[in-house]
Amino acid sequence: MSGRNTTLTPPAEAVAPVRHPDAPAPGEPLGAHYGHCFGCGEGQPHGLHLEARAGEGVRVSAEFTVKPAHQGAPGLAHGGVLATALDETLGSLNWLLRVIAVTGRLETDFVRPVPVGTVLYLEAEVTAVAGRKIYSTAVGRIGGPEGPVAVRAQALFIEVKVDHFIDNGRPEEIRAAMSDPDQVRRARAFEVNP
């Protein structure tokens, strides 16, 4: 296809990403951005419980263990679950830029099957920024940072204001998140994904 990847290729005016001075230090766990998030929230019994850590520059690493509830074909992770893990990891990058951003486009390559019981190790980095557009890539490896590549992704995130969530989210969850007395948790609830 001639138009493929055009929205995932940064424009000529894109600039290198800059880590925000108040971003978490390299190695610091990022924690769940929202307790009920399927990707990282502790309040989801069948969620991924993905654990992300800040890396150097504008990079993060994350891990999750593929559970029986995550399978598609017998004994193998569902492709949508793997795409979710990539999306969650890529979304965590926005915490290092200190912006609220949602997934605009996610293109995933499935390289090899990921068995139930496997720990998937993910790394992601922001490659460029152009206005409100944030370009990034990720890779998922089986068993650790040197393991075989199982999945790859390229993504485009779009910076938004918190009103994006207030205007589009279900009112009861929005009210609960907005009333959280912990200011950091309240702000982080609106960080990742539409």
Side-chain angles (χ1 to χ4, degrees), residues 19 23-28 30 52-61 93 96 124:
R19 183 188 187 102
E28 188 174 320
L30 299 179
R53 291 189 175 276
E56 298 291 333
V58 193
R59 293 175 171 250
V60 298
S61 62
L93 289 164
L96 301 180

Side-chain angles (χ1 to χ4, degrees), residues 59-64 118-124 139-151:
R59 293 175 171 250
V60 298
S61 62
E63 291 183 14
F64 95 96
T118 297
V119 175
L120 191 66
Y121 181 85
L122 300 119
E123 292 183 323
V139 63
R141 296 175 179 271
I142 294 175
E146 305 303 321
V149 172
V151 290

Side-chain angles (χ1 to χ4, degrees), residues 165-178:
F165 302 96
I166 294 168
D167 295 344
N168 296 293
R170 219 166 57 150
E172 52 266 38
E173 280 89 357
I174 298 298
R175 278 194 297 275
M178 295 294 280

Side-chain angles (χ1 to χ4, degrees), residues 49-187:
H49 303 151
L50 190 125
E51 296 177 12
R53 291 189 175 276
E56 298 291 333
V58 193
R59 293 175 171 250
V60 298
S61 62
E63 291 183 14
F64 95 96
T65 301
V66 179
K67 306 278 195 228
H70 303 142
Q71 66 190 311
L76 297 174
H78 189 288
V81 168
L82 298 175
T84 300
L86 288 161
D87 187 45
E88 186 70 30
T89 304
L90 289 157
S92 296
L93 289 164
N94 298 316
W95 184 241
L96 301 180
L97 299 173
R98 296 299 294 263
V99 299
I100 299 171
V102 296
T103 311
R105 183 176 171 110
L106 175 67
E107 186 171 298
T108 306
D109 295 315
F110 299 96
V111 179
R112 71 179 63 230
V114 180
V116 170
T118 297
V119 175
L120 191 66
Y121 181 85
L122 300 119
E123 292 183 323
E125 72 175 309
V126 177
T127 57
V129 176
R132 294 176 43 227
K133 295 180 177 181
I134 302 163
Y135 298 86
S136 52
T137 63
V139 63
R141 296 175 179 271
I142 294 175
E146 305 303 321
V149 172
V151 290
R152 287 189 194 94
Q154 292 186 68
L156 169 64
F157 279 74
I158 308 296
E159 184 177 351
V160 297
K161 301 294 182 206
V162 75
D163 292 351
H164 168 86
F165 302 96
I166 294 168
D167 295 344
N168 296 293
R170 219 166 57 150
E172 52 266 38
E173 280 89 357
I174 298 298
R175 278 194 297 275
M178 295 294 280
S179 65
D180 191 322
D182 183 326
Q183 188 175 27
V184 171
R185 265 202 335 241
R186 185 171 57 241

